[in-house]
Amino acid sequence: MEAQPARTPEREDLYRRMAPANLTPLWEVLRSLITPEPKSPVQATLWRYDEVRPFLLEAGKVITAKEAERRVLILENPGLPGQSRITTSLYAGLQLILPGEVAPAHRHAQSALRFIIEGSKGYTAVDGERVYMSPGDFIITPSWTWHDHGHEGEGPMVWLDGLDIPLVQALDASFIEGYGHDAHPVTRPVGDTLARYGANMLPVDWKPSRPTSPIFSYPYARSREALEQMRKTAEWDPCHGLKMRFANPATGDHAMPTMGTFMQLLPKGFVTAGYRSTDATVFTAVEGRGRTRIGDRVLEWGPRDVFVIPSWARHIHEADEDAVLFSFSDRPVQEKLGLFREDRGNR
Ligand code: 1HN
């Protein structure tokens, strides 16, 4: 690569005269546009649930879910201030709903995932089918499906929202529409979709009509049981422990087209080998304590904490106890575009 060209008076004069014609020289910006490897402004950051929760409950006192539309505290990456992003391509937030509240029905082009952090007897409804939420459940709201949330239990109900907002923003493809009523009418009984598409069978003549998994709830009890069963063979991946991805049973692809979702088990005492990949990844611990080392940064995590690892940042995980981590990233997009890279080298 040639060195950055100098700015001479003659060149500066040319740049100034071409600017009104909406022209600008590539050679002044090429080295920052195309870098030899990913150079992300994203910072490795951890949000301790103990620190976030009081703010969330305070938000519950100053605004209702209905007035807010969605009562969410955005997990904003300190490297991307004011941008409502946790990574360059993804949005994340912690959403609170209180007993008796509703978050009104709407639909948008952006896809959403929910990962349940705290509470029970809250539900989310997708196109009129309710699914009750419990900690560790992974729930999908596909692009352009009606969704509303409610809470029939006691105590706060909190979940982690992941949305592909910045991706959709980059494509200028955003749409949102209100339903006009708090809740979409109930269209199917509770459990219908999981029975229909989530029992290792599919309706005989059914063909997928969208790229998102037909299953919109992946209950923790099932994912956890699968990990527990598999640990018996002790086939640990040096970089990941035992790591699974959530799948669309109709295609075998990722459960969502824009966000990859993963669940991994790190047994007590496990220290992973160094790993980096081009998909910046958001993690939350479901069970167990440990830490993640990224360069000279150490993120100490426990249950319900959320942390983010930037693109191409080599890291290791250390589990002090049996630990279960849920994570999500834009990996499906990168894979489809032929951009996904990983480096399993140690250091
Ligand atoms: C949204 O619809 C939800 O449905 C959560 O719970 C977060 C952030 C931005 C735009 C729409 C939800 C959101 C959102």
Side-chain angles (χ1 to χ4, degrees):
M1 196 78 183
E2 298 293 323
Q4 175 68 43
R7 294 182 74 106
T8 65
E10 183 188 34
R11 291 173 182 174
E12 299 273 15
D13 182 59
L14 172 62
Y15 307 160
R16 203 166 40 246
R17 285 182 291 110
M18 68 171 68
N22 304 312
L23 297 168
T24 165
L26 171 62
W27 57 89
E28 285 296 316
V29 292
L30 178 59
R31 285 154 195 81
S32 58
L33 286 181
I34 301 185
T35 55
E37 57 179 59
K39 277 214 171 4
S40 179
V42 171
Q43 291 174 24
T45 307
L46 177 130
W47 291 263
R48 285 199 324 114
Y49 192 62
D50 283 352
E51 192 179 351
V52 177
R53 191 176 188 275
F55 288 120
L56 207 45
L57 295 184
E58 215 178 310
K61 294 206 169 77
V62 302
I63 191 162
T64 62
K66 189 171 157 77
E67 186 189 353
E69 181 99 7
R70 297 295 185 264
R71 191 202 286 115
V72 182
L73 298 185
I74 299 172
L75 305 178
E76 188 170 81
N77 195 282
L80 303 167
Q83 298 185 42
S84 306
R85 301 174 184 213
I86 191 161
T87 71
T88 301
S89 62
L90 298 175
Y91 157 103
L94 285 167
Q95 179 159 177
L96 168 69
I97 186 157
L98 293 168
E101 284 194 318
V102 289
H106 68 196
R107 62 179 177 178
H108 37 69
Q110 291 80 357
S111 299
L113 68 84
R114 332 270 172 207
F115 190 75
I116 315 311
I117 301 287
E118 174 179 351
S120 63
K121 301 218 172 81
Y123 65 83
T124 190
V126 176
D127 282 339
E129 182 180 332
R130 287 180 180 183
V131 51
Y132 286 85
M133 305 185 279
S134 297
D137 294 352
F138 158 53
I139 293 168
I140 296 172
T141 310
S143 173
W144 211 240
T145 52
W146 295 111
H147 54 285
D148 52 84
H149 316 302
H151 189 355
E152 298 171 345
E154 280 153 43
M157 182 93 219
V158 179
W159 62 84
L160 174 67
D161 282 318
L163 285 90
D164 53 10
I165 293 171
L167 272 174
V168 175
Q169 214 166 24
L171 302 170
D172 277 338
S174 176
F175 294 90
I176 184 166
E177 188 176 15
Y179 185 68
H181 304 278
D182 282 354
H184 188 284
V186 171
T187 54
R188 289 177 180 278
V190 171
D192 183 81
T193 288
L194 197 55
R196 205 170 290 267
Y197 306 102
N200 301 317
M201 297 181 283
L202 293 170
V204 64
D205 288 322
W206 179 80
K207 290 280 178 298
S209 59
R210 56 183 175 219
T212 308
S213 170
I215 303 170
F216 61 91
S217 167
Y218 293 74
Y220 187 58
R222 291 193 186 185
S223 338
R224 185 69 182 89
E225 172 55 28
L227 292 173
E228 205 52 40
Q229 176 64 28
M230 281 184 290
R231 79 184 299 169
K232 294 176 188 165
T233 62
E235 291 159 19
W236 306 105
D237 179 282
C239 296
H240 302 307
L242 177 50
K243 186 169 181 177
M244 305 293 281
R245 69 179 170 87
F246 288 94
N248 176 343
T251 62
D253 203 344
H254 292 278
M256 312 182 72
T258 52
M259 293 183 281
T261 46
F262 311 90
M263 184 84 84
Q264 78 195 93
L265 175 70
L266 299 169
K268 180 181 161 86
F270 200 87
V271 178
T272 61
Y275 176 82
R276 60 181 175 169
S277 57
T278 48
D279 60 331
T281 303
V282 180
F283 289 83
T284 183
V286 194
E287 300 173 27
R289 298 191 165 274
R291 68 198 56 74
T292 298
R293 299 183 191 274
I294 307 131
D296 52 12
R297 293 229 48 190
V298 185
L299 304 177
E300 296 275 350
W301 44 259
R304 300 172 171 177
D305 296 341
V306 179
F307 60 99
V308 58
I309 298 177
S311 167
W312 214 238
R314 187 176 276 109
H315 57 278
I316 64 162
H317 302 298
E318 302 174 1
D320 295 343
E321 307 164 359
D322 279 0
V324 178
L325 300 176
F326 171 81
S327 58
F328 67 97
S329 77
D330 63 12
R331 180 167 171 166
V333 178
Q334 296 202 26
E335 287 175 349
K336 296 223 170 33
L337 302 181
L339 294 171
F340 179 73
R341 280 204 207 189
E342 56 184 353
D343 169 9
R344 297 172 58 95
N346 232 329
R347 219 144 258 289

